[in-house]
Amino acid sequence: MRNRKKLTSVREFMLFGFPSFFIWFSVVIIPFIYGFWITFTDWNGLSMEIKYIGIENYRHILTDPAFLGAFWKTVIYALFTVILSNLLGFILALVVTSGLKAQNLFRTGFFTPNIIGGIILGYIWNFIFSFGLTKLGEFTNIEWMKTSWLTNPTRALMALVLVSAWQLSGYLMVIYIAGLTAVPADILEAARVDGATTLQTVLQIKVPMIRGTTAICVFLAISRCFMSFDMNLSLTAGGPYKSTELIAYKIYQTAFTSMDFGQGQAQAIVLFIIVAAISLLQVYFTRKGRVDA
């Protein structure tokens, strides 16, 4: 009887589970292992001769000013984008859960930028910053709007942060909506009866009760910022003077522009470790928040 059950389970796995497992293993695991092996070589992506150089690529990463500069730019970019996107996402969630008329329509509108690809949004905002705002600046005679933000290193990074936060806020809004709707209505009613203001209700009841949701949103935003590539490519292309070259775009430049696949893949492994660490921290703090709650 047991043998029959085992045989049935094996058949079911081979029929339903194995095709998915085979595709996942072929598309994810094998390329990852192959890519990890490339990090120990000097392969340029074209040569048939591959020289083993040990951990030299990883040593170079630790002393490469360009990579370290891209890393710290990414940290700054992530810091401001995470704060702005979470703040805006939370405010939008409060607005569309307050009983506002046509709030479902507003939810759809706020979420729409997240549906549009980063490449398309980047080109749209590139046109706005390069032509739309400059024309408006000339018309209104506002000096700081007469020149494109994308030609100034500081303003270009600010533009990248603003556009990324604007796109990401709609996605985080949906998660915050789920957290806010889970707050018990009787607690909110008791606060209203006791004379609590709207601001007091938000700060002293809603915010503490959605700590788990907040942790999820913060770490999701951090991981997405560290993997940001398409917006960086289409909006600023790392310019001006590589002032907005984030770590994912730097990896692309190293591998496909400089044709140094060994070094580029080593940089990608470092990025993978960073994002994996962020994901593990997300799981830890999310579980901790649930236990405390």
Side-chain angles (χ1 to χ4, degrees):
M1 191 66 178
R2 288 184 178 179
N3 291 334
R4 284 185 178 181
K5 288 183 177 180
K6 289 182 179 180
L7 184 60
T8 302
S9 298
V10 171
R11 287 176 178 175
E12 290 177 350
F13 173 77
M14 294 299 294
L15 184 61
F16 298 103
F18 182 75
S20 300
F21 173 79
F22 177 76
I23 294 173
W24 173 78
F25 190 82
S26 301
V27 174
V28 178
I29 300 301
I30 292 179
F32 180 82
I33 295 174
Y34 179 68
F36 183 69
W37 174 75
I38 288 176
T39 64
F40 300 103
T41 69
D42 64 349
W43 189 46
N44 62 5
L46 297 174
S47 176
M48 298 300 294
E49 296 183 2
I50 303 177
K51 181 181 177 182
Y52 177 79
I53 59 174
I55 61 172
E56 189 59 35
N57 285 324
Y58 292 100
R59 287 180 179 174
H60 183 265
I61 288 175
L62 298 177
T63 58
D64 182 13
F67 179 80
L68 296 177
F71 172 78
W72 287 115
K73 289 185 188 74
T74 306
V75 171
I76 296 171
Y77 161 79
L79 175 64
F80 287 101
T81 302
V82 168
I83 293 173
L84 286 176
S85 61
N86 275 273
L87 183 60
L88 184 56
F90 179 70
I91 293 174
L92 293 177
L94 285 176
V95 171
V96 298
T97 56
S98 61
L100 187 70
K101 289 184 179 180
Q103 63 183 22
N104 290 333
L105 180 62
F106 284 108
R107 291 183 185 186
T108 304
F110 294 146
F111 185 74
T112 299
N114 188 70
I115 300 175
I116 304 174
I119 290 289
I120 298 175
L121 281 181
Y123 284 124
I124 291 173
W125 279 96
N126 186 300
F127 177 82
I128 292 174
F129 282 116
S130 299
F131 300 99
L133 291 180
T134 54
K135 290 296 182 182
L136 182 61
E138 292 174 1
F139 179 76
T140 58
N141 201 30
I142 300 177
E143 198 64 33
W144 62 271
M145 290 180 61
K146 290 183 179 180
T147 57
S148 173
W149 281 29
L150 305 181
T151 60
N152 180 279
T154 302
R155 290 184 181 179
L157 187 58
M158 288 173 57
L160 189 59
V161 168
L162 291 175
V163 176
S164 299
W166 171 73
Q167 181 192 25
L168 185 56
S169 60
Y171 174 71
L172 300 180
M173 175 197 70
V174 175
I175 303 175
Y176 278 118
I177 288 174
L180 290 172
T181 53
V183 177
D186 54 346
I187 296 179
L188 299 177
E189 181 64 22
R192 188 185 66 81
V193 172
D194 288 342
T197 64
T198 302
L199 183 60
Q200 288 175 330
T201 302
V202 171
L203 296 180
Q204 298 180 19
I205 296 178
K206 291 185 177 181
V207 171
M209 295 195 71
I210 62 169
R211 285 178 297 177
T213 302
T214 303
I216 292 173
C217 288
V218 168
F219 283 103
L220 280 176
I222 294 173
S223 60
R224 285 189 59 163
C225 286
F226 270 89
M227 293 188 294
S228 178
F229 171 76
D230 47 2
M231 185 75 72
N232 193 192
L233 173 65
S234 58
L235 181 60
T236 65
Y241 315 114
K242 297 187 177 183
S243 60
T244 60
E245 188 177 64
L246 304 182
I247 188 170
Y249 186 73
K250 171 61 179 174
I251 293 170
Y252 168 81
Q253 290 288 92
T254 302
F256 295 98
T257 302
S258 302
M259 298 303 293
D260 190 348
F261 276 75
Q263 183 65 212
Q265 190 62 38
Q267 295 174 0
I269 291 295
V270 172
L271 178 60
F272 168 78
I273 294 173
I274 293 172
V275 175
I278 293 171
S279 300
L280 291 175
L281 286 173
Q282 174 190 333
V283 173
Y284 171 77
F285 282 108
T286 302
R287 288 181 177 178
K288 188 174 183 294
R290 287 178 180 174
V291 171
D292 292 342

